[in-house]
Amino acid sequence: MVEVRSAPPVEDARPVEVGATPDEARADGGALARELPAGTTRLDAHALGGARLTAFVEGLVLGCYRFTRASAPAPAPELIELCGADDDAAIERGLRAAGATAWARDLANTRSNETTLAWLAGAAGRELTPLGVDVLVRDDDWLRSAGFGGVLA
């Protein structure tokens, strides 16, 4: 996942035009992300804050998202510095939301012959336990006794 962080204002930061609503900001971030070069990009984000900044970050991260099994993925943006942005909480909210969406996309994009119940339980534990979510894995006997036979079919 691309790294996005706040940075001090700099003269060479690329100006960005972002819509007035969070939905527009998210769409603008996604469109911009798809045209960013590989490596580091500095964007002038001094006018962004709150819900618009959160949505813009979501758009940036999800616009950079690529699912690949290649051992050497294509070059992609690695770091996006939001120059002049001073709302780190909004950036963090955007990163959390985009991270959750990217994980859901990874789950959906993983081949069905790899996604056994044990695999899904392991993935949930790895992703969610560090976030403070208790992950409880049930075995076949519990699923059958609780009426989840369709899951076992």
Side-chain angles (χ1 to χ4, degrees), residues 1-5 39 41 61 64 77-82 95:
M1 189 166 81
V2 65
E3 180 183 354
V4 179
R5 65 179 181 214
T41 298
V61 172
C64 290
E78 296 171 17
L79 171 63
I80 300 172
E81 293 185 329
L82 300 176
L95 290 171

Side-chain angles (χ1 to χ4, degrees), residues 83-122:
C83 301
D86 59 3
D87 190 346
D88 287 333
I91 293 171
E92 184 57 36
R93 285 191 302 274
L95 290 171
R96 273 197 317 270
T101 302
W103 181 54
R105 287 178 178 181
D106 286 346
L107 292 176
N109 286 323
T110 302
R111 295 180 189 135
S112 61
N113 66 335
E114 296 175 18
T115 56
T116 64
L117 293 176
W119 176 88
L120 182 58

Side-chain angles (χ1 to χ4, degrees), residues 37-60:
T40 299
T41 298
R42 292 184 174 132
L43 302 176
D44 181 357
H46 77 277
L48 293 173
R52 283 178 61 231
L53 179 57
T54 296
F56 185 66
V57 169
E58 289 175 33
L60 286 172

Side-chain angles (χ1 to χ4, degrees), residues 10 62 153:
V10 293
L62 295 174

